Amino acid sequence: MSENEKKLGLHSVVSVSVGLVIATSCLVSLGQGAGSVGVIFIVAMIVACLLNMTTIASLSELNALMPNTTGGLAQYTLACMGPFPTLISMVGGYLICNIMSSGVEASIFAYAMATTIPLPIPSIVWTLIMTAIVTIANLFGVDMFAKLQDVVAFLLVGSMVVLGLIGMFKLGTGQVVTQPYNMTTKFSDVIPTVAIAFWLFIGAEYVIPVSKNVKNAKRNVPLGMIIGLALICVVQSIMVLGFHNYTPWDDLLNSAAPHLLYGENLLGKAGRIWMTIVSVLAVVSSQNSTVNGLSEICQGMAKMNMMPRIFAKTNKRNVPWFGVIFVSVFIFVFAKLSDGSSDAISFLILVGSVFWMISYILAHMDVLILRRRLPKAPRSFKVPLGPVLPVIGIAGIVYMILNISTDPVERNMIWLVTGITFAVLAVYSFFWIKFKMKMPVFKSVPLEKVMAMENSMYYKIRKRRGIWR
């Protein structure tokens, strides 16, 4: 097989983007958002989708300026703001958040399997089986990953479109529900649901770490991510219209698994089984994207000595094997912690949203900083309209963090958990940077030096000189 044939095409970029974005936790958020305001939730989804597209544009420009960086956002932020915010945001905003959200995914999947296939085994066994399958597939490298992702993304999106269209055109075997399209006519009631909708579009940037394996990356990476987000918005909108015809809004809002409820109301037992299959595809898709993407990010951070060196080691298929196993194990741990608790699942989704939003703010800030610091540096992709889109992105994300929940008690608890987590990470980051990395804590690293960190000789030379241990 030639080198060119091994490269990923545009369709693979779209499937990777879709892979993490469409997930069972998204179906839970979709049900909660639609159940709270009705079909008008689609407006909130469009706003959230556009905000995420501004982030995708910023990350695409950063990737164009610093191509083939395995650490992605970690290396961009290191060049802009120094190691301290980089380490905090990457460990908190990416590693913990992504592992936690994938654990939630696995927990929802286990619940769906246990209720649909009543076997005398604990539900967590289903999670263990799925985690093992995804781990082994990823250890076979990018080719296996691409093949698995393409099939899963196609089946997942196809199933959701068909189920949504059946509901939208009232073709189901279940009883059609008579209810208003919207639960509110006030736009002020819809605005807070943008924060719920934001979770539906998180994760398309997982293409960035594998961009070095993409054909014509400067075009296919940003285009694939944007197509992926637009595709998700259309599919989720069709689902909302289907919800309206077959699932009472209140039932949808209060259900721990609204997608299973919709499937059963739509097509009876067959619909529930079909939605369970969708849950299986979703957890394969999201967990596959998470394990692959995070292992690559950990590899890039290890090259910069921001994580233990073992994360940079690869197997004979050039896969960062330790990162794959590490991420998979902790996904299973979080699945066990949230197993069977709908309240824990909902809370963890919102906490994860805040972590992820903070990392997106840093991406926009990186673009603004590098535009000012390196205005003439060559970029194969540049965010249009100057600083306008990054500033809009930052403002929109800050607003969503401030309105992460309509319940003030839950909102304060989310802020508290986020604050404590970042405070602990700040202490860890300070000592790791000062005594392990032996670098100025708050000083940005020159761009060319960050790029040089991709070469294994950079680490060897610093280690030989006694700078890194």
Side-chain angles (χ1 to χ4, degrees):
M1 182 180 287
S2 70
E3 187 65 29
N4 191 52
E5 288 176 323
K6 292 182 181 180
K7 293 280 188 176
L8 305 180
L10 179 62
H11 69 284
S12 292
V13 176
V14 174
S15 68
V16 174
S17 299
V18 170
L20 189 76
V21 177
I22 284 194
T24 40
S25 62
C26 292
L27 292 171
V28 172
S29 297
L30 185 68
Q32 290 176 341
S36 62
V37 295
V39 172
I40 201 171
F41 182 61
I42 292 174
V43 175
M45 288 165 50
I46 293 171
V47 173
C49 183
L50 292 174
L51 282 172
N52 273 272
M53 283 185 179
T54 66
T55 303
I56 291 307
S58 287
L59 285 167
S60 296
E61 177 171 331
L62 293 168
N63 184 55
L65 193 61
M66 300 172 63
N68 302 329
T69 51
T70 51
L73 186 59
Q75 284 152 302
Y76 309 148
T77 306
L78 184 64
C80 294
M81 305 180 201
F84 187 71
T86 301
L87 200 51
I88 292 176
S89 65
M90 290 308 296
V91 175
Y94 258 71
L95 299 187
I96 293 176
C97 168
N98 281 279
I99 290 172
M100 180 176 66
S101 62
S102 279
V104 170
E105 289 294 323
S107 176
I108 299 170
F109 154 75
Y111 172 82
M113 294 296 289
T115 55
T116 305
I117 308 175
L119 295 177
I121 58 173
S123 61
I124 197 68
V125 172
W126 291 108
T127 303
L128 181 61
I129 293 170
M130 185 57 63
T131 301
I133 292 171
V134 172
T135 302
I136 292 168
N138 274 275
L139 288 173
F140 275 89
V142 71
D143 285 343
M144 177 65 74
F145 163 70
K147 289 170 186 173
L148 181 63
Q149 198 67 39
D150 283 353
V151 172
V152 167
F154 175 78
L155 293 175
L156 178 57
V157 174
S159 292
M160 290 185 67
V161 169
V162 172
L163 287 166
L165 289 173
I166 290 173
M168 188 171 76
F169 291 110
K170 302 179 181 179
L171 301 176
T173 58
Q175 184 176 355
V176 175
V177 174
T178 302
Q179 61 181 342
Y181 273 91
N182 301 311
M183 303 289 284
T184 179
T185 55
K186 296 180 181 178
F187 191 67
S188 58
D189 292 335
V190 179
I191 293 294
T193 62
V194 174
I196 298 174
F198 187 78
W199 184 259
L200 305 177
F201 304 99
I202 282 177
E205 74 279 0
Y206 263 70
V207 176
I208 297 290
V210 295
S211 61
K212 61 183 180 296
N213 299 308
V214 175
K215 286 185 290 189
N216 193 12
K218 67 180 181 181
R219 179 186 75 95
N220 287 341
V221 170
L223 182 60
M225 289 189 288
I226 289 171
I227 290 173
L229 288 180
L231 180 63
I232 297 308
C233 192
V234 172
V235 171
Q236 306 278 35
S237 297
I238 292 171
M239 287 288 289
V240 170
L241 293 170
F243 287 163
H244 166 260
N245 291 334
Y246 285 91
T247 313
W249 296 130
D250 285 344
D251 292 351
L252 201 62
L253 178 63
N254 298 316
S255 175
H259 54 299
L260 296 183
L261 176 65
Y262 170 65
E264 191 161 12
N265 287 358
L266 182 70
L267 297 171
K269 186 177 180 180
R272 186 179 184 88
I273 293 172
W274 192 346
M275 268 300 186
T276 300
I277 294 172
V278 170
S279 296
V280 174
L281 296 176
V283 78
V284 170
S285 180
S286 63
Q287 196 161 322
N288 191 42
S289 295
T290 301
V291 171
N292 184 276
L294 287 189
S295 62
E296 293 267 6
I297 288 171
C298 288
Q299 181 186 30
M301 292 180 70
K303 289 178 180 179
M304 299 183 289
N305 202 32
M306 301 190 87
M307 292 189 74
R309 184 63 183 166
I310 192 170
F311 282 96
K313 294 184 181 298
T314 59
N315 61 15
K316 63 182 181 181
R317 296 179 183 273
N318 203 33
V319 174
W321 62 269
F322 185 80
V324 169
I325 295 171
F326 176 87
V327 171
S328 297
V329 167
F330 277 94
I331 284 174
F332 181 78
V333 169
F334 274 105
K336 179 62 178 174
L337 290 174
S338 59
D339 188 39
S341 173
S342 58
D343 289 340
I345 288 170
S346 178
F347 182 77
L348 289 174
I349 287 173
L350 292 175
V351 171
S353 288
V354 174
F355 283 158
W356 221 317
M357 288 176 189
I358 291 170
S359 67
Y360 280 6
I361 288 174
L362 288 178
H364 289 305
M365 292 175 65
D366 289 344
V367 168
L368 296 174
I369 290 170
L370 289 175
R371 284 274 186 95
R372 185 175 181 84
R373 193 177 294 168
L374 301 168
K376 296 183 180 179
R379 295 166 171 84
S380 58
F381 177 87
K382 198 168 184 179
V383 180
L385 305 177
V388 174
L389 292 183
V391 169
I392 289 174
I394 292 171
I397 292 170
V398 169
Y399 177 84
M400 286 188 289
I401 292 174
L402 295 176
N403 296 274
I404 192 63
S405 173
T406 53
D407 180 358
V409 175
E410 184 180 49
R411 185 169 62 239
N412 290 336
M413 186 58 66
I414 291 168
W415 292 345
L416 180 64
V417 170
T418 305
I420 291 173
T421 303
F422 277 96
V424 171
L425 286 174
V427 174
Y428 158 77
S429 299
F430 179 83
F431 286 101
W432 180 273
I433 295 163
K434 192 170 181 64
F435 297 106
K436 178 68 176 177
M437 296 180 68
K438 296 183 181 292
M439 292 177 68
V441 177
F442 297 101
K443 186 179 179 181
S444 62
V445 178
L447 196 67
E448 60 275 10
K449 189 173 180 179
V450 174
M451 298 287 285
M453 289 177 178
E454 282 291 311
N455 194 307
S456 60
M457 286 303 297
Y458 182 86
Y459 174 81
K460 292 178 182 177
I461 291 170
R462 285 182 72 84
K463 187 175 182 181
R464 192 178 299 148
R465 291 176 179 174
I467 300 174
W468 286 356
R469 293 191 179 92

PDB file of all heavy atoms in Angstrom, residues 389-409:
ATOM      1  N   LEU A 389     -14.632  36.892  14.790  1.00  0.00           N
ATOM      2  CA  LEU A 389     -15.162  35.574  15.150  1.00  0.00           C
ATOM      3  C   LEU A 389     -14.577  35.028  16.454  1.00  0.00           C
ATOM      4  O   LEU A 389     -15.329  34.500  17.286  1.00  0.00           O
ATOM      5  CB  LEU A 389     -14.947  34.591  13.993  1.00  0.00           C
ATOM      6  CG  LEU A 389     -15.761  34.870  12.715  1.00  0.00           C
ATOM      7  CD1 LEU A 389     -15.504  33.781  11.675  1.00  0.00           C
ATOM      8  CD2 LEU A 389     -17.253  34.949  13.018  1.00  0.00           C
ATOM      9  N   PRO A 390     -13.246  35.133  16.678  1.00  0.00           N
ATOM     10  CA  PRO A 390     -12.727  34.692  17.980  1.00  0.00           C
ATOM     11  C   PRO A 390     -13.334  35.448  19.159  1.00  0.00           C
ATOM     12  O   PRO A 390     -13.644  34.842  20.197  1.00  0.00           O
ATOM     13  CB  PRO A 390     -11.218  34.962  17.869  1.00  0.00           C
ATOM     14  CG  PRO A 390     -10.932  34.886  16.417  1.00  0.00           C
ATOM     15  CD  PRO A 390     -12.140  35.459  15.754  1.00  0.00           C
ATOM     16  N   VAL A 391     -13.541  36.766  19.004  1.00  0.00           N
ATOM     17  CA  VAL A 391     -14.129  37.556  20.091  1.00  0.00           C
ATOM     18  C   VAL A 391     -15.578  37.132  20.338  1.00  0.00           C
ATOM     19  O   VAL A 391     -16.019  36.981  21.486  1.00  0.00           O
ATOM     20  CB  VAL A 391     -14.049  39.070  19.773  1.00  0.00           C
ATOM     21  CG1 VAL A 391     -14.888  39.876  20.769  1.00  0.00           C
ATOM     22  CG2 VAL A 391     -12.603  39.538  19.813  1.00  0.00           C
ATOM     23  N   ILE A 392     -16.333  36.913  19.250  1.00  0.00           N
ATOM     24  CA  ILE A 392     -17.720  36.435  19.388  1.00  0.00           C
ATOM     25  C   ILE A 392     -17.735  35.067  20.072  1.00  0.00           C
ATOM     26  O   ILE A 392     -18.561  34.804  20.949  1.00  0.00           O
ATOM     27  CB  ILE A 392     -18.408  36.346  18.007  1.00  0.00           C
ATOM     28  CG1 ILE A 392     -18.670  37.755  17.453  1.00  0.00           C
ATOM     29  CG2 ILE A 392     -19.719  35.560  18.107  1.00  0.00           C
ATOM     30  CD1 ILE A 392     -19.216  37.754  16.036  1.00  0.00           C
ATOM     31  N   GLY A 393     -16.802  34.215  19.674  1.00  0.00           N
ATOM     32  CA  GLY A 393     -16.709  32.892  20.279  1.00  0.00           C
ATOM     33  C   GLY A 393     -16.454  32.956  21.773  1.00  0.00           C
ATOM     34  O   GLY A 393     -17.105  32.263  22.564  1.00  0.00           O
ATOM     35  N   ILE A 394     -15.509  33.808  22.182  1.00  0.00           N
ATOM     36  CA  ILE A 394     -15.184  33.966  23.610  1.00  0.00           C
ATOM     37  C   ILE A 394     -16.395  34.482  24.380  1.00  0.00           C
ATOM     38  O   ILE A 394     -16.768  33.942  25.432  1.00  0.00           O
ATOM     39  CB  ILE A 394     -13.986  34.911  23.799  1.00  0.00           C
ATOM     40  CG1 ILE A 394     -12.709  34.257  23.261  1.00  0.00           C
ATOM     41  CG2 ILE A 394     -13.811  35.273  25.278  1.00  0.00           C
ATOM     42  CD1 ILE A 394     -11.517  35.194  23.207  1.00  0.00           C
ATOM     43  N   ALA A 395     -17.041  35.528  23.842  1.00  0.00           N
ATOM     44  CA  ALA A 395     -18.200  36.129  24.519  1.00  0.00           C
ATOM     45  C   ALA A 395     -19.338  35.114  24.667  1.00  0.00           C
ATOM     46  O   ALA A 395     -19.968  35.006  25.730  1.00  0.00           O
ATOM     47  CB  ALA A 395     -18.679  37.354  23.741  1.00  0.00           C
ATOM     48  N   GLY A 396     -19.595  34.365  23.599  1.00  0.00           N
ATOM     49  CA  GLY A 396     -20.667  33.370  23.642  1.00  0.00           C
ATOM     50  C   GLY A 396     -20.390  32.268  24.651  1.00  0.00           C
ATOM     51  O   GLY A 396     -21.288  31.842  25.391  1.00  0.00           O
ATOM     52  N   ILE A 397     -19.149  31.808  24.720  1.00  0.00           N
ATOM     53  CA  ILE A 397     -18.796  30.728  25.639  1.00  0.00           C
ATOM     54  C   ILE A 397     -18.861  31.212  27.093  1.00  0.00           C
ATOM     55  O   ILE A 397     -19.352  30.493  27.977  1.00  0.00           O
ATOM     56  CB  ILE A 397     -17.401  30.166  25.306  1.00  0.00           C
ATOM     57  CG1 ILE A 397     -17.452  29.446  23.947  1.00  0.00           C
ATOM     58  CG2 ILE A 397     -16.930  29.202  26.388  1.00  0.00           C
ATOM     59  CD1 ILE A 397     -16.104  29.050  23.405  1.00  0.00           C
ATOM     60  N   VAL A 398     -18.378  32.415  27.353  1.00  0.00           N
ATOM     61  CA  VAL A 398     -18.459  32.982  28.709  1.00  0.00           C
ATOM     62  C   VAL A 398     -19.915  33.065  29.154  1.00  0.00           C
ATOM     63  O   VAL A 398     -20.263  32.722  30.287  1.00  0.00           O
ATOM     64  CB  VAL A 398     -17.793  34.370  28.781  1.00  0.00           C
ATOM     65  CG1 VAL A 398     -18.117  35.065  30.102  1.00  0.00           C
ATOM     66  CG2 VAL A 398     -16.276  34.250  28.620  1.00  0.00           C
ATOM     67  N   TYR A 399     -20.778  33.500  28.242  1.00  0.00           N
ATOM     68  CA  TYR A 399     -22.209  33.587  28.565  1.00  0.00           C
ATOM     69  C   TYR A 399     -22.763  32.213  28.929  1.00  0.00           C
ATOM     70  O   TYR A 399     -23.534  32.075  29.885  1.00  0.00           O
ATOM     71  CB  TYR A 399     -22.992  34.166  27.382  1.00  0.00           C
ATOM     72  CG  TYR A 399     -24.491  34.200  27.628  1.00  0.00           C
ATOM     73  CD1 TYR A 399     -25.072  35.258  28.314  1.00  0.00           C
ATOM     74  CD2 TYR A 399     -25.305  33.151  27.205  1.00  0.00           C
ATOM     75  CE1 TYR A 399     -26.444  35.276  28.566  1.00  0.00           C
ATOM     76  CE2 TYR A 399     -26.666  33.161  27.460  1.00  0.00           C
ATOM     77  CZ  TYR A 399     -27.229  34.227  28.139  1.00  0.00           C
ATOM     78  OH  TYR A 399     -28.571  34.234  28.405  1.00  0.00           O
ATOM     79  N   MET A 400     -22.379  31.193  28.168  1.00  0.00           N
ATOM     80  CA  MET A 400     -22.888  29.850  28.435  1.00  0.00           C
ATOM     81  C   MET A 400     -22.391  29.302  29.777  1.00  0.00           C
ATOM     82  O   MET A 400     -23.123  28.609  30.477  1.00  0.00           O
ATOM     83  CB  MET A 400     -22.508  28.910  27.294  1.00  0.00           C
ATOM     84  CG  MET A 400     -23.336  29.137  26.036  1.00  0.00           C
ATOM     85  SD  MET A 400     -23.043  27.889  24.762  1.00  0.00           S
ATOM     86  CE  MET A 400     -21.399  28.331  24.225  1.00  0.00           C
ATOM     87  N   ILE A 401     -21.148  29.615  30.125  1.00  0.00           N
ATOM     88  CA  ILE A 401     -20.634  29.179  31.427  1.00  0.00           C
ATOM     89  C   ILE A 401     -21.434  29.827  32.555  1.00  0.00           C
ATOM     90  O   ILE A 401     -21.777  29.181  33.551  1.00  0.00           O
ATOM     91  CB  ILE A 401     -19.133  29.508  31.563  1.00  0.00           C
ATOM     92  CG1 ILE A 401     -18.311  28.640  30.598  1.00  0.00           C
ATOM     93  CG2 ILE A 401     -18.662  29.294  33.003  1.00  0.00           C
ATOM     94  CD1 ILE A 401     -16.835  28.981  30.560  1.00  0.00           C
ATOM     95  N   LEU A 402     -21.752  31.102  32.392  1.00  0.00           N
ATOM     96  CA  LEU A 402     -22.516  31.819  33.415  1.00  0.00           C
ATOM     97  C   LEU A 402     -23.953  31.314  33.510  1.00  0.00           C
ATOM     98  O   LEU A 402     -24.620  31.503  34.524  1.00  0.00           O
ATOM     99  CB  LEU A 402     -22.503  33.324  33.124  1.00  0.00           C
ATOM    100  CG  LEU A 402     -21.134  34.009  33.208  1.00  0.00           C
ATOM    101  CD1 LEU A 402     -21.252  35.480  32.805  1.00  0.00           C
ATOM    102  CD2 LEU A 402     -20.551  33.886  34.609  1.00  0.00           C
ATOM    103  N   ASN A 403     -24.440  30.672  32.443  1.00  0.00           N
ATOM    104  CA  ASN A 403     -25.812  30.163  32.417  1.00  0.00           C
ATOM    105  C   ASN A 403     -25.829  28.648  32.158  1.00  0.00           C
ATOM    106  O   ASN A 403     -26.683  28.147  31.436  1.00  0.00           O
ATOM    107  CB  ASN A 403     -26.623  30.886  31.337  1.00  0.00           C
ATOM    108  CG  ASN A 403     -26.789  32.367  31.619  1.00  0.00           C
ATOM    109  OD1 ASN A 403     -27.704  32.784  32.324  1.00  0.00           O
ATOM    110  ND2 ASN A 403     -25.894  33.175  31.077  1.00  0.00           N
ATOM    111  N   ILE A 404     -24.895  27.949  32.774  1.00  0.00           N
ATOM    112  CA  ILE A 404     -24.738  26.523  32.490  1.00  0.00           C
ATOM    113  C   ILE A 404     -25.936  25.701  32.948  1.00  0.00           C
ATOM    114  O   ILE A 404     -26.190  24.615  32.447  1.00  0.00           O
ATOM    115  CB  ILE A 404     -23.434  25.991  33.128  1.00  0.00           C
ATOM    116  CG1 ILE A 404     -23.098  24.592  32.618  1.00  0.00           C
ATOM    117  CG2 ILE A 404     -23.524  26.011  34.652  1.00  0.00           C
ATOM    118  CD1 ILE A 404     -22.814  24.516  31.150  1.00  0.00           C
ATOM    119  N   SER A 405     -26.695  26.218  33.909  1.00  0.00           N
ATOM    120  CA  SER A 405     -27.898  25.520  34.369  1.00  0.00           C
ATOM    121  C   SER A 405     -28.943  26.540  34.790  1.00  0.00           C
ATOM    122  O   SER A 405     -28.606  27.601  35.326  1.00  0.00           O
ATOM    123  CB  SER A 405     -27.567  24.594  35.548  1.00  0.00           C
ATOM    124  OG  SER A 405     -28.749  24.042  36.100  1.00  0.00           O
ATOM    125  N   THR A 406     -30.209  26.201  34.553  1.00  0.00           N
ATOM    126  CA  THR A 406     -31.290  27.102  34.973  1.00  0.00           C
ATOM    127  C   THR A 406     -31.565  26.960  36.473  1.00  0.00           C
ATOM    128  O   THR A 406     -32.215  27.807  37.066  1.00  0.00           O
ATOM    129  CB  THR A 406     -32.586  26.786  34.197  1.00  0.00           C
ATOM    130  OG1 THR A 406     -32.874  25.381  34.324  1.00  0.00           O
ATOM    131  CG2 THR A 406     -32.415  27.126  32.721  1.00  0.00           C
ATOM    132  N   ASP A 407     -31.067  25.898  37.091  1.00  0.00           N
ATOM    133  CA  ASP A 407     -31.212  25.689  38.532  1.00  0.00           C
ATOM    134  C   ASP A 407     -30.025  26.343  39.248  1.00  0.00           C
ATOM    135  O   ASP A 407     -28.883  25.896  39.074  1.00  0.00           O
ATOM    136  CB  ASP A 407     -31.251  24.191  38.833  1.00  0.00           C
ATOM    137  CG  ASP A 407     -31.395  23.893  40.322  1.00  0.00           C
ATOM    138  OD1 ASP A 407     -31.427  24.848  41.125  1.00  0.00           O
ATOM    139  OD2 ASP A 407     -31.462  22.704  40.691  1.00  0.00           O
ATOM    140  N   PRO A 408     -30.258  27.396  40.053  1.00  0.00           N
ATOM    141  CA  PRO A 408     -29.138  28.104  40.688  1.00  0.00           C
ATOM    142  C   PRO A 408     -28.299  27.229  41.617  1.00  0.00           C
ATOM    143  O   PRO A 408     -27.082  27.406  41.705  1.00  0.00           O
ATOM    144  CB  PRO A 408     -29.820  29.245  41.462  1.00  0.00           C
ATOM    145  CG  PRO A 408     -31.258  28.874  41.550  1.00  0.00           C
ATOM    146  CD  PRO A 408     -31.556  28.014  40.377  1.00  0.00           C
ATOM    147  N   VAL A 409     -28.923  26.274  42.287  1.00  0.00           N
ATOM    148  CA  VAL A 409     -28.170  25.384  43.185  1.00  0.00           C
ATOM    149  C   VAL A 409     -27.224  24.503  42.374  1.00  0.00           C
ATOM    150  O   VAL A 409     -26.037  24.370  42.713  1.00  0.00           O
ATOM    151  CB  VAL A 409     -29.135  24.506  44.021  1.00  0.00           C
ATOM    152  CG1 VAL A 409     -28.346  23.497  44.857  1.00  0.00           C
ATOM    153  CG2 VAL A 409     -30.009  25.369  44.918  1.00  0.00           C
TER     154      VAL A 409
END
